[in-house]
Amino acid sequence: MIPLAERYHLLSVVGRGGMGTVWRAHDDMLARDVAVKEVRLPDRRTIGERRLLCRRLIEEARATAALRHPGVVDVHDIVIEDGRPWIVMELLRARSLHQVIVEGGPLRVERAARIGQCVLSVLTAAHGAGILHRDVKPSNVLLCNDGRILLTDFGLAVHMDQASEPEETLVAGIEGSPAYLSPERVLGDPGRQESDLWSLGATLYAAVEGFSPFLRSHALASMLAVLLGEYDPPVRAGRLAPVIEGLLRQDPNERMRAPEAARLLREAARPPAPPGDPRSPPWRRRLLPKPWPVRIGLMVSDPRPFLGTVPVRSSAGP
């Protein structure tokens, strides 16, 4: 195969998504392996839809490159080949949070909280740069072999200045995963910062419970559950429960804000203190047996040292 831009040799497929395929490739010029994302343009799409997909990929590259954050993949280059854009990025050795949950089951509260901290940090940086992600979900959270946690796939990202403008959509009409769309997004709102936070809450729920709170048998049922706010309260969330419930509030104006979520995530990420430790929750300390003052051969209620003799009486006299 002729290398892209006479430089990148495609080697193998790393993953496939709704908008494209990610390849492992070799950069001949810099002698290093990279990841190359190509957009897929199905024949059944109209010319307008194909142009939209290409534009989305270019916007993704720009949005990702604009963020200087350790939780965002580095974009090296963008190539136009055969009328299609190809994004060249750093090659990651990682699994998605979705894969981790499917293969290993729900995560411990502390680990899920640390993942939530990293994702929230990326969202805070993106919002500060005026960018909405609009597709936060477990499959877009990468857990790297080197310990890094990244939020990827800014393919549906939009600048806040453009969020209120009518947007061009695909024929399918649904952008993003229905089980992770906020209520206002389901109703047609392009989204706001609180919409990304709602999706983070649904992602945290999935991390500790093992499934999305709004996942139903088909997309329409999932969106209806989102609109009605119908989900089972988490049973494994522990210290994450207040964060999840706060982020999943229906009204975006009443939804938990990022600073409060960051504080609660920081507390939930700490290892639990052992029973009896002053840092442990009061309910754990109350369960411990109270120490009784014990003396040799006696158990007395008065903790002061016992002094003197004990008079003994019996039927036989003193």
Side-chain angles (χ1 to χ4, degrees):
M1 179 179 181
I2 300 176
L4 293 173
E6 299 181 353
R7 175 176 177 177
Y8 305 106
H9 276 90
L10 304 183
L11 301 177
S12 60
V13 174
V14 175
R16 302 182 187 274
M19 292 185 63
T21 301
V22 179
W23 295 81
R24 184 173 69 87
H26 187 75
D27 183 349
D28 294 339
M29 184 173 294
L30 297 180
R32 64 178 177 180
D33 285 347
V34 294
V36 175
K37 182 173 182 179
E38 70 162 318
V39 66
R40 290 189 300 182
L41 302 176
D43 294 335
R44 66 178 182 276
R45 298 291 189 185
T46 65
I47 295 178
E49 291 171 349
R50 291 162 68 90
R51 289 176 178 173
L52 176 59
L53 286 171
C54 292
R55 193 179 70 200
R56 286 271 171 80
L57 197 65
I58 295 175
E59 290 174 352
E60 175 185 359
R62 289 174 176 170
T64 306
L67 294 176
R68 299 294 181 182
H69 191 281
V72 178
V73 64
D74 288 336
V75 175
H76 301 319
D77 193 7
I78 185 166
V79 176
I80 305 298
E81 191 91 5
D82 297 329
R84 295 181 296 162
W86 304 65
I87 300 177
V88 182
M89 306 171 290
E90 66 171 316
L91 181 64
L92 302 171
R93 270 73 178 183
R95 291 190 301 163
S96 72
L97 176 59
H98 174 74
Q99 290 176 301
V100 171
I101 295 172
V102 170
E103 296 171 7
L107 306 184
R108 293 173 55 111
V109 169
E110 294 79 17
R111 188 183 183 194
R114 287 192 293 271
I115 293 172
Q117 282 182 293
C118 296
V119 175
L120 180 59
S121 178
V122 175
L123 291 177
T124 301
H127 296 164
I131 298 172
L132 301 176
H133 188 280
R134 305 202 308 166
D135 199 18
V136 179
K137 57 186 178 182
S139 59
N140 284 340
V141 177
L142 293 186
L143 310 182
C144 301
N145 294 352
D146 60 8
R148 288 185 300 163
I149 300 172
L150 285 74
L151 178 62
T152 64
D153 202 345
F154 282 75
L156 297 182
V158 66
H159 200 279
M160 293 182 189
D161 294 339
Q162 303 170 348
S164 59
E165 300 175 1
E167 60 179 334
E168 189 177 4
T169 59
L170 299 180
V171 174
I174 299 175
E175 294 186 314
S177 298
Y180 294 95
L181 287 177
S182 65
E184 57 271 19
R185 288 286 316 281
V186 172
L187 290 174
D189 189 321
R192 57 184 80 177
Q193 296 183 37
E194 293 79 13
S195 305
D196 281 346
L197 296 180
W198 190 96
S199 300
L200 172 59
T203 298
L204 289 172
Y205 184 108
V208 294
E209 299 296 324
F211 55 90
S212 167
F214 302 102
L215 183 61
R216 301 296 186 267
S217 58
H218 54 82
L220 183 59
S222 296
M223 291 189 289
L224 183 60
V226 168
L227 288 176
L228 297 178
E230 292 183 347
Y231 71 95
D232 295 329
V235 296
R236 300 170 53 92
R239 292 175 292 171
L240 271 181
V243 187
I244 294 173
E245 294 168 358
L247 294 177
L248 290 182
R249 290 172 185 157
Q250 293 295 104
D251 187 346
N253 296 318
E254 298 179 358
R255 205 164 291 156
M256 182 178 290
R257 296 298 186 261
E260 177 67 8
R263 183 184 67 82
L264 294 177
L265 285 171
R266 185 169 57 252
E267 294 177 358
R270 295 172 182 165
D277 191 296
R279 297 170 299 172
S280 64
W283 64 268
R284 296 190 72 187
R285 296 200 298 269
R286 286 198 299 268
L287 293 179
L288 291 176
K290 295 182 179 180
W292 289 90
V294 179
R295 299 296 179 262
I296 298 176
L298 293 172
M299 183 168 66
V300 297
S301 59
D302 191 344
R304 293 174 297 177
F306 176 76
L307 300 174
T309 59
V310 179
V312 179
R313 295 183 180 278
S314 69
S315 58

